[in-house]
Amino acid sequence: MANSEHTFTAIKPDGVQRGLVGEIIKRFEQKGFCLVGLKFMQASEDLLKEHYIDLKHRPFFTGLVKYMHSGPVVAMSNLADSKPGTIRGDFCIPVGRNIIHGSDSVGSAEKKIGLWFQPEELDYKSCAQNWIYE
């Protein structure tokens, strides 16, 4: 589809533990985004190290991997702006527990989708697609 673009989003362990999964997914769906893949899973440390490979030399890398491995996440196919009305603005408490990950570019999204999903897991087309996009 000419007007479509894929991204990768993950609800982090703090969002899962606080019971915000449904509310976060609801916001994406109400905006008109089509959810084509979803996994509720405990990510392995190896997967998380690969996911955050671009942050490998940052001082918080080890803590980030440990935090992301601390509980299940919801993986879905820069949210740095935390204004009221945004997921982070409404639900985040400290910066280190910021509820959700979102890819910051098309290239990053493609790489992360490939880490978390097999192609056959994303073979979904919503019948509403033609109603929303021209």
Side-chain angles (χ1 to χ4, degrees), residues 107-122:
S108 174
E110 289 172 355
K111 178 182 173 192
K112 307 240 188 238
I113 290 167
L115 286 173
W116 292 80
F117 292 97
Q118 297 298 315
E120 62 271 12
E121 294 176 307
L122 301 175

Side-chain angles (χ1 to χ4, degrees), residues 57-70:
H57 299 294
R58 304 292 294 271
F60 56 83
F61 177 76
T62 301
L64 175 61
V65 171
K66 183 178 177 183
Y67 153 62
M68 290 295 291
H69 186 64
S70 70

Side-chain angles (χ1 to χ4, degrees), residues 2 6 8-9 19-20 45 64 66 75-76 86 101 106 109 122 133:
H6 291 100
F8 175 81
T9 305
L20 298 172
E45 285 189 30
L64 175 61
K66 183 178 177 183
M76 301 180 287
T86 67
H101 165 86
V106 173
L122 301 175
Y133 302 103

Side-chain angles (χ1 to χ4, degrees), residues 1-51:
M1 208 161 113
N3 292 333
S4 70
E5 184 177 289
H6 291 100
T7 194
F8 175 81
T9 305
I11 302 172
K12 295 180 178 183
D14 55 321
V16 173
Q17 295 300 319
R18 291 177 54 204
L20 298 172
V21 173
E23 180 64 33
I24 292 169
I25 292 171
K26 174 182 155 187
R27 288 187 182 206
F28 284 109
E29 290 179 330
Q30 286 178 330
K31 183 74 175 177
F33 293 115
C34 179
L35 184 63
V36 298
L38 181 133
K39 287 183 180 182
F40 180 81
M41 62 185 285
Q42 179 76 41
S44 71
E45 285 189 30
D46 288 341
L47 171 60
L48 294 166
K49 286 176 181 176
E50 182 64 28
H51 177 89

